[in-house]
Short mmCIF file of all heavy atoms in Angstrom, two decimals:
data_model
loop_
_atom_site.label_atom_id
_atom_site.label_comp_id
_atom_site.label_asym_id
_atom_site.label_seq_id
_atom_site.Cartn_x
_atom_site.Cartn_y
_atom_site.Cartn_z
N GLU A 1 51.38 37.61 68.18
CA GLU A 1 50.13 37.24 68.86
C GLU A 1 49.57 38.37 69.72
O GLU A 1 48.36 38.61 69.74
CB GLU A 1 50.39 36.00 69.72
CG GLU A 1 49.15 35.40 70.37
CD GLU A 1 48.97 35.81 71.82
OE1 GLU A 1 49.92 36.39 72.39
OE2 GLU A 1 47.88 35.56 72.36
N SER A 2 50.43 39.10 70.42
CA SER A 2 49.96 40.19 71.28
C SER A 2 49.28 41.28 70.46
O SER A 2 48.29 41.86 70.89
CB SER A 2 51.13 40.79 72.06
OG SER A 2 51.68 39.84 72.93
N LEU A 3 49.82 41.55 69.27
CA LEU A 3 49.20 42.56 68.40
C LEU A 3 47.81 42.12 67.95
O LEU A 3 46.88 42.93 67.88
CB LEU A 3 50.09 42.80 67.18
CG LEU A 3 51.42 43.52 67.42
CD1 LEU A 3 52.22 43.59 66.13
CD2 LEU A 3 51.19 44.92 67.97
N ILE A 4 47.68 40.82 67.65
CA ILE A 4 46.37 40.29 67.25
C ILE A 4 45.37 40.45 68.39
O ILE A 4 44.23 40.89 68.18
CB ILE A 4 46.49 38.80 66.85
CG1 ILE A 4 47.40 38.65 65.61
CG2 ILE A 4 45.12 38.20 66.59
CD1 ILE A 4 47.72 37.22 65.26
N ARG A 5 45.79 40.11 69.60
CA ARG A 5 44.88 40.20 70.76
C ARG A 5 44.51 41.65 71.07
O ARG A 5 43.38 41.95 71.45
CB ARG A 5 45.53 39.53 71.97
CG ARG A 5 45.59 38.01 71.86
CD ARG A 5 46.33 37.40 73.02
NE ARG A 5 45.71 37.71 74.29
CZ ARG A 5 46.26 37.46 75.48
NH1 ARG A 5 47.47 36.92 75.53
NH2 ARG A 5 45.63 37.77 76.60
N ILE A 6 45.47 42.56 70.89
CA ILE A 6 45.17 43.99 71.10
C ILE A 6 44.12 44.45 70.11
O ILE A 6 43.15 45.12 70.47
CB ILE A 6 46.46 44.83 70.96
CG1 ILE A 6 47.38 44.59 72.17
CG2 ILE A 6 46.13 46.32 70.86
CD1 ILE A 6 48.76 45.20 72.01
N ARG A 7 44.30 44.09 68.83
CA ARG A 7 43.34 44.48 67.80
C ARG A 7 41.97 43.88 68.07
O ARG A 7 40.93 44.56 67.93
CB ARG A 7 43.85 44.03 66.44
CG ARG A 7 43.00 44.46 65.24
CD ARG A 7 43.15 45.94 64.97
NE ARG A 7 42.15 46.74 65.67
CZ ARG A 7 42.24 48.05 65.81
NH1 ARG A 7 43.29 48.69 65.36
NH2 ARG A 7 41.29 48.73 66.44
N GLU A 8 41.94 42.61 68.47
CA GLU A 8 40.66 41.95 68.77
C GLU A 8 39.95 42.64 69.94
O GLU A 8 38.73 42.85 69.89
CB GLU A 8 40.90 40.47 69.10
CG GLU A 8 41.26 39.62 67.89
CD GLU A 8 41.60 38.19 68.27
OE1 GLU A 8 41.78 37.94 69.49
OE2 GLU A 8 41.68 37.33 67.38
N THR A 9 40.71 42.98 70.98
CA THR A 9 40.12 43.66 72.15
C THR A 9 39.55 45.01 71.75
O THR A 9 38.43 45.36 72.15
CB THR A 9 41.19 43.84 73.25
OG1 THR A 9 41.70 42.57 73.63
CG2 THR A 9 40.58 44.53 74.47
N LEU A 10 40.30 45.77 70.98
CA LEU A 10 39.83 47.09 70.55
C LEU A 10 38.57 46.97 69.69
O LEU A 10 37.62 47.76 69.84
CB LEU A 10 40.93 47.82 69.77
CG LEU A 10 42.17 48.24 70.58
CD1 LEU A 10 43.24 48.80 69.65
CD2 LEU A 10 41.80 49.28 71.64
N ASP A 11 38.55 45.98 68.81
CA ASP A 11 37.36 45.78 67.96
C ASP A 11 36.15 45.39 68.81
O ASP A 11 35.04 45.88 68.58
CB ASP A 11 37.64 44.69 66.92
CG ASP A 11 38.62 45.15 65.85
OD1 ASP A 11 38.82 46.38 65.72
OD2 ASP A 11 39.19 44.29 65.15
N GLN A 12 36.37 44.51 69.78
CA GLN A 12 35.27 44.09 70.66
C GLN A 12 34.72 45.26 71.47
O GLN A 12 33.52 45.34 71.73
CB GLN A 12 35.75 42.98 71.60
CG GLN A 12 36.01 41.65 70.91
CD GLN A 12 36.71 40.65 71.82
OE1 GLN A 12 36.98 40.93 73.00
NE2 GLN A 12 37.01 39.47 71.29
N LYS A 13 35.62 46.17 71.86
CA LYS A 13 35.21 47.34 72.65
C LYS A 13 34.72 48.49 71.77
O LYS A 13 34.31 49.53 72.30
CB LYS A 13 36.39 47.83 73.50
CG LYS A 13 36.94 46.80 74.48
CD LYS A 13 35.93 46.46 75.56
CE LYS A 13 36.54 45.51 76.60
NZ LYS A 13 35.58 45.18 77.68
N GLY A 14 34.74 48.31 70.45
CA GLY A 14 34.24 49.34 69.56
C GLY A 14 35.15 50.55 69.44
O GLY A 14 34.68 51.65 69.15
N ILE A 15 36.45 50.36 69.64
CA ILE A 15 37.41 51.46 69.56
C ILE A 15 38.19 51.35 68.25
O ILE A 15 38.89 50.36 68.02
CB ILE A 15 38.37 51.45 70.75
CG1 ILE A 15 37.57 51.62 72.06
CG2 ILE A 15 39.42 52.55 70.63
CD1 ILE A 15 38.40 51.44 73.31
N THR A 16 38.07 52.36 67.40
CA THR A 16 38.69 52.31 66.07
C THR A 16 39.78 53.36 65.87
O THR A 16 40.38 53.42 64.81
CB THR A 16 37.62 52.49 64.98
OG1 THR A 16 36.96 53.76 65.18
CG2 THR A 16 36.58 51.38 65.04
N ARG A 17 40.05 54.18 66.87
CA ARG A 17 40.96 55.30 66.69
C ARG A 17 42.44 54.91 66.70
O ARG A 17 43.28 55.69 66.29
CB ARG A 17 40.72 56.37 67.76
CG ARG A 17 41.02 55.95 69.17
CD ARG A 17 40.86 57.10 70.16
NE ARG A 17 41.92 58.09 70.03
CZ ARG A 17 41.89 59.28 70.59
NH1 ARG A 17 40.83 59.64 71.30
NH2 ARG A 17 42.89 60.12 70.46
N PHE A 18 42.76 53.70 67.15
CA PHE A 18 44.16 53.30 67.27
C PHE A 18 44.56 52.39 66.10
O PHE A 18 43.88 51.40 65.82
CB PHE A 18 44.41 52.56 68.58
CG PHE A 18 44.07 53.36 69.81
CD1 PHE A 18 43.27 52.82 70.81
CD2 PHE A 18 44.54 54.65 69.96
CE1 PHE A 18 42.95 53.56 71.95
CE2 PHE A 18 44.24 55.40 71.09
CZ PHE A 18 43.44 54.85 72.08
N ASN A 19 45.67 52.73 65.45
CA ASN A 19 46.20 51.90 64.38
C ASN A 19 47.53 51.26 64.74
O ASN A 19 48.08 50.48 63.96
CB ASN A 19 46.38 52.73 63.11
CG ASN A 19 45.05 53.22 62.55
OD1 ASN A 19 44.11 52.44 62.43
ND2 ASN A 19 44.97 54.48 62.21
N SER A 20 48.05 51.60 65.90
CA SER A 20 49.34 51.05 66.32
C SER A 20 49.48 51.19 67.83
O SER A 20 48.71 51.91 68.48
CB SER A 20 50.49 51.78 65.62
OG SER A 20 50.55 53.13 66.08
N ILE A 21 50.48 50.50 68.38
CA ILE A 21 50.78 50.64 69.80
C ILE A 21 51.20 52.06 70.10
O ILE A 21 50.88 52.62 71.16
CB ILE A 21 51.88 49.64 70.21
CG1 ILE A 21 51.33 48.21 70.15
CG2 ILE A 21 52.41 49.93 71.61
CD1 ILE A 21 52.36 47.14 70.42
N GLY A 22 51.91 52.66 69.14
CA GLY A 22 52.32 54.06 69.31
C GLY A 22 51.13 54.98 69.51
O GLY A 22 51.19 55.92 70.32
N ASP A 23 50.04 54.72 68.78
CA ASP A 23 48.82 55.53 68.94
C ASP A 23 48.26 55.39 70.35
O ASP A 23 47.80 56.37 70.95
CB ASP A 23 47.76 55.08 67.92
CG ASP A 23 48.10 55.50 66.50
OD1 ASP A 23 48.99 56.36 66.35
OD2 ASP A 23 47.48 54.98 65.57
N ILE A 24 48.28 54.17 70.88
CA ILE A 24 47.74 53.94 72.23
C ILE A 24 48.59 54.65 73.27
O ILE A 24 48.07 55.34 74.15
CB ILE A 24 47.68 52.42 72.53
CG1 ILE A 24 46.74 51.72 71.54
CG2 ILE A 24 47.22 52.18 73.97
CD1 ILE A 24 46.73 50.21 71.67
N ASN A 25 49.91 54.49 73.16
CA ASN A 25 50.81 55.14 74.13
C ASN A 25 50.71 56.66 74.05
O ASN A 25 50.77 57.35 75.07
CB ASN A 25 52.24 54.68 73.88
CG ASN A 25 52.48 53.23 74.27
OD1 ASN A 25 51.78 52.71 75.15
ND2 ASN A 25 53.42 52.57 73.64
N LYS A 26 50.57 57.18 72.84
CA LYS A 26 50.44 58.62 72.66
C LYS A 26 49.14 59.13 73.30
O LYS A 26 49.12 60.19 73.93
CB LYS A 26 50.46 58.96 71.16
CG LYS A 26 50.42 60.45 70.87
CD LYS A 26 50.50 60.69 69.36
CE LYS A 26 50.43 62.20 69.07
NZ LYS A 26 50.47 62.45 67.59
N PHE A 27 48.07 58.36 73.16
CA PHE A 27 46.79 58.74 73.76
C PHE A 27 46.91 58.80 75.29
O PHE A 27 46.45 59.75 75.92
CB PHE A 27 45.71 57.74 73.36
CG PHE A 27 44.43 57.87 74.14
CD1 PHE A 27 43.51 58.86 73.85
CD2 PHE A 27 44.15 57.01 75.20
CE1 PHE A 27 42.34 59.01 74.58
CE2 PHE A 27 42.99 57.14 75.94
CZ PHE A 27 42.07 58.15 75.62
N ILE A 28 47.51 57.76 75.87
CA ILE A 28 47.67 57.72 77.33
C ILE A 28 48.53 58.89 77.81
O ILE A 28 48.21 59.56 78.80
CB ILE A 28 48.27 56.37 77.77
CG1 ILE A 28 47.28 55.23 77.49
CG2 ILE A 28 48.64 56.40 79.25
CD1 ILE A 28 47.85 53.85 77.72
N LYS A 29 49.62 59.13 77.10
CA LYS A 29 50.54 60.20 77.48
C LYS A 29 49.87 61.57 77.39
O LYS A 29 50.08 62.45 78.25
CB LYS A 29 51.78 60.16 76.58
CG LYS A 29 52.81 61.22 76.90
CD LYS A 29 54.00 61.10 75.96
CE LYS A 29 55.03 62.20 76.25
NZ LYS A 29 56.19 62.11 75.32
N ASN A 30 49.06 61.79 76.37
CA ASN A 30 48.47 63.10 76.11
C ASN A 30 47.02 63.18 76.57
O ASN A 30 46.28 64.07 76.13
CB ASN A 30 48.54 63.43 74.61
CG ASN A 30 49.96 63.52 74.11
OD1 ASN A 30 50.85 63.96 74.83
ND2 ASN A 30 50.19 63.11 72.87
N TYR A 31 46.59 62.25 77.43
CA TYR A 31 45.18 62.18 77.81
C TYR A 31 44.67 63.50 78.39
O TYR A 31 43.63 64.01 77.97
CB TYR A 31 44.95 61.04 78.81
CG TYR A 31 43.53 61.00 79.33
CD1 TYR A 31 42.50 60.53 78.53
CD2 TYR A 31 43.22 61.48 80.61
CE1 TYR A 31 41.20 60.50 78.99
CE2 TYR A 31 41.92 61.46 81.07
CZ TYR A 31 40.91 60.97 80.26
OH TYR A 31 39.62 60.97 80.72
N ASN A 32 45.38 64.06 79.36
CA ASN A 32 44.91 65.30 79.99
C ASN A 32 44.86 66.45 79.00
O ASN A 32 43.93 67.27 79.03
CB ASN A 32 45.81 65.67 81.18
CG ASN A 32 45.62 64.73 82.36
OD1 ASN A 32 44.53 64.23 82.59
ND2 ASN A 32 46.69 64.46 83.09
N ASN A 33 45.84 66.51 78.11
CA ASN A 33 45.83 67.56 77.08
C ASN A 33 44.64 67.38 76.14
O ASN A 33 43.99 68.36 75.77
CB ASN A 33 47.13 67.52 76.28
CG ASN A 33 48.32 68.01 77.08
OD1 ASN A 33 48.17 68.75 78.04
ND2 ASN A 33 49.51 67.59 76.69
N GLU A 34 44.37 66.14 75.76
CA GLU A 34 43.23 65.89 74.87
C GLU A 34 41.92 66.26 75.54
O GLU A 34 41.01 66.79 74.91
CB GLU A 34 43.21 64.43 74.42
CG GLU A 34 42.07 64.13 73.48
CD GLU A 34 42.17 62.77 72.80
OE1 GLU A 34 43.26 62.18 72.83
OE2 GLU A 34 41.15 62.32 72.24
N LYS A 35 41.83 65.97 76.84
CA LYS A 35 40.61 66.31 77.58
C LYS A 35 40.39 67.83 77.56
O LYS A 35 39.28 68.30 77.34
CB LYS A 35 40.74 65.78 79.01
CG LYS A 35 39.46 65.88 79.82
CD LYS A 35 39.54 65.02 81.08
CE LYS A 35 40.65 65.47 82.01
NZ LYS A 35 40.62 64.76 83.30
N GLU A 36 41.48 68.57 77.79
CA GLU A 36 41.38 70.03 77.79
C GLU A 36 41.06 70.56 76.39
O GLU A 36 40.21 71.44 76.23
CB GLU A 36 42.71 70.62 78.27
CG GLU A 36 42.71 72.13 78.44
CD GLU A 36 44.01 72.65 79.01
OE1 GLU A 36 44.69 71.89 79.74
OE2 GLU A 36 44.35 73.80 78.73
N GLU A 37 41.72 69.99 75.38
CA GLU A 37 41.47 70.41 74.01
C GLU A 37 40.03 70.10 73.60
O GLU A 37 39.40 70.87 72.86
CB GLU A 37 42.44 69.70 73.07
CG GLU A 37 43.87 70.21 73.17
CD GLU A 37 44.84 69.34 72.39
OE1 GLU A 37 44.38 68.40 71.73
OE2 GLU A 37 46.05 69.62 72.45
N THR A 38 39.51 68.98 74.08
CA THR A 38 38.13 68.60 73.76
C THR A 38 37.15 69.62 74.32
O THR A 38 36.17 70.00 73.65
CB THR A 38 37.82 67.20 74.34
OG1 THR A 38 38.68 66.25 73.72
CG2 THR A 38 36.37 66.81 74.07
#
């Protein structure tokens, strides 16, 4: 159920870049690096 709700929330917010919880955790962990790389 939690996975369903996560997917629904992401879809409602228009966020398509995450395919798994691992993707979300990786994004949070590497946020500052991604900002610099961007």
Side-chain angles (χ1 to χ4, degrees):
E1 187 261 349
S2 297
L3 291 175
I4 297 172
R5 289 175 60 190
I6 288 171
R7 185 73 269 165
E8 288 176 347
T9 301
L10 292 173
D11 290 342
Q12 290 170 2
K13 300 294 184 179
I15 299 173
T16 59
R17 64 176 288 168
F18 301 130
N19 294 313
S20 67
I21 291 175
D23 288 346
I24 298 174
N25 289 333
K26 184 178 179 181
F27 168 79
I28 293 173
K29 181 180 178 181
N30 298 326
Y31 175 75
N32 289 327
N33 289 336
E34 181 168 344
K35 189 165 62 172
E36 185 176 333
E37 288 171 3
T38 298

